[in-house]
Amino acid sequence: MTGRLIVLSNRIPTAGPPSGGLVVAIDELLAERGGLWIGSGDDFVDTPSESLQPIQGGSGYNKVIFDLTEQEHKEFYLGYANSVLWPLCHHRPDLIAFDRRYAESYATVNARVAKMLAEIIAPDDLIWVHDYHFLPVAQELKRLGVSARVGLFLHIPFPTLPDLNALPEREQFYQWLAAFDLVGLQTEADVACCLQCFRAQETGEMLFDGRLKFQDQTFAVRSFPIGIDAKSFFSIAEKPLKDDPLHLRKEDRLILGVDRLDYSKGLTHRVRGFGKWLEKRGAKSPRGTLVQITPPSRELVAAYQDIARELEALVGHFNGRYGELDWTPIRLLEHAVPRETLAPLYRLADIGLVTPLADGMNLVAKEYIAAQDPDDPGVLILSRAAGAAEQMTDALLVNPHDSEEIGDAIERALSMSCDERKARHKALMQVVRDTDIFEWGAGYLDCLERLEIASAGPFDEQGRFCRKSERKSDPTMGEVCRDQSLDHGNPQKIG
């Protein structure tokens, strides 16, 4: 590739060195390839500029921002992105805010961003769009005559067909996705869900090379499980805290949960599960303290206000019922904890409790495993509804809706032998290494680049891209994946 890498995301780091796995990975990819990172500015304006504004850049690449008005923040970001698409993709269509102004603002912002992008894109540039804030961008770019390759990575779950039917803009949703050259999803289950949705459309076809055709657009869908910078996180976790922030008794056990305040995280279900363990706890069972770190988010959205009130009430209920003079069973922190403190806390925790009701991947699960002492690791309790559960099968997998199952898993984890804990951790740590954040980013871009060279394929039937070493020659179909077994003949309708 001779062109630049252009990354578009809703937020962009505007000050200081990059931190956090995803931000660091994008920073390194841009520094290596050269290019541009585009995101929204921190301050609202009265009249948005029609051009991108440069800000202090990274090393070897540039950063630019686009403007938003306060009204656009309310309608584009809080409105359509987070009160329509977010609940849609997290299987809560009952929480969708049906307000046509939100869709209009979403379309307006995306069209403006696409127009500014089109003015700077060269044909050999590579455009990488992140997440649900910019689903229409590729379609807008094509309308403006942009021929460069455009890829999307959706960090959140893909909606089901019944969920999509609740979206007023469902027809546009399919057109938005089909305009990308590559749609990257977190899991194979997400790929299957995407294929099912397009299968239900009259103009959906699956081509022999594994791509999808929808109306007059052809695109590829595949899974790219995101990961973390495990080495960096382990090195932070190894550094002991100067002071004990918890002051637990030596024989007490620590159960740790870390999530943004969001209804998709299953926080109230988790607390009820811990409450079930408290209820069934035997006289000889150790005292367990659940430390739940829950920074607020999107406080202006009504659904988030409701979940905060319910969570606080449940914590008070269980503490009042089961607490003792020297023991508060649940500690709720409604603010963020610095990464330098959080990583050692993961290492101290006997249990990592990760029980979302729906999650694209959930990197807390991978961070918890990466932080552990391999000679005395803790136990990961993981929701089957988290994308990470597709790979991390050696965790204690639970139904996040079943409080009794969560309580039983806590008891099992607390009584698990060291040998079993070490065996589970070893297998889970291999998963973390195999899904390294830097390999993830490079793998996605490699796939997007190959779309131009190899006519977008081949892919296998699960939507996974096949490298050259994984391909074989077919006399009728040409180059296909070794395990691909499609019928010969004309391209078939999906279904």
Side-chain angles (χ1 to χ4, degrees), residues 146-181:
V146 171
S147 60
R149 290 152 295 162
V150 186
L152 168 72
F153 185 78
L154 189 64
H155 291 260
I156 61 178
F158 196 88
T160 65
L161 181 59
D163 291 340
L164 266 176
N165 286 336
L167 181 67
E169 296 77 29
R170 54 190 170 274
E171 296 299 327
Q172 294 99 306
F173 183 90
Y174 291 109
Q175 294 167 358
W176 294 339
L177 291 188
F180 288 95
D181 297 292

Side-chain angles (χ1 to χ4, degrees), residues 356-431:
L357 305 180
D359 220 333
M361 179 53 63
N362 196 298
L363 296 181
V364 169
K366 296 186 176 183
E367 289 177 342
Y368 177 75
I369 291 300
Q372 296 307 297
D373 177 356
D375 293 324
D376 186 23
V379 179
L380 174 64
I381 297 176
L382 180 61
S383 164
R384 296 180 184 277
E390 188 171 279
Q391 301 169 304
M392 305 183 79
T393 55
D394 285 278
L396 294 185
L397 300 180
V398 296
N399 174 0
H401 298 274
D402 189 338
S403 60
E404 192 154 1
E405 188 172 331
I406 293 173
D408 290 345
I410 292 172
E411 181 62 31
R412 181 181 174 189
L414 292 177
S415 60
M416 188 178 293
S417 70
C418 184
D419 285 344
E420 183 178 353
R421 286 188 284 116
K422 288 166 69 174
R424 288 177 177 272
H425 175 263
K426 181 179 180 181
L428 290 168
M429 192 62 203
Q430 189 59 52
V431 172

Side-chain angles (χ1 to χ4, degrees), residues 466-485:
C466 296
R467 299 178 182 275
K468 287 186 176 180
S469 61
E470 300 170 330
R471 302 175 191 173
K472 67 179 181 180
S473 179
D474 182 281
T476 305
M477 299 166 60
E479 199 173 44
V480 299
C481 294
R482 292 185 186 279
D483 60 351
Q484 190 169 347
S485 56

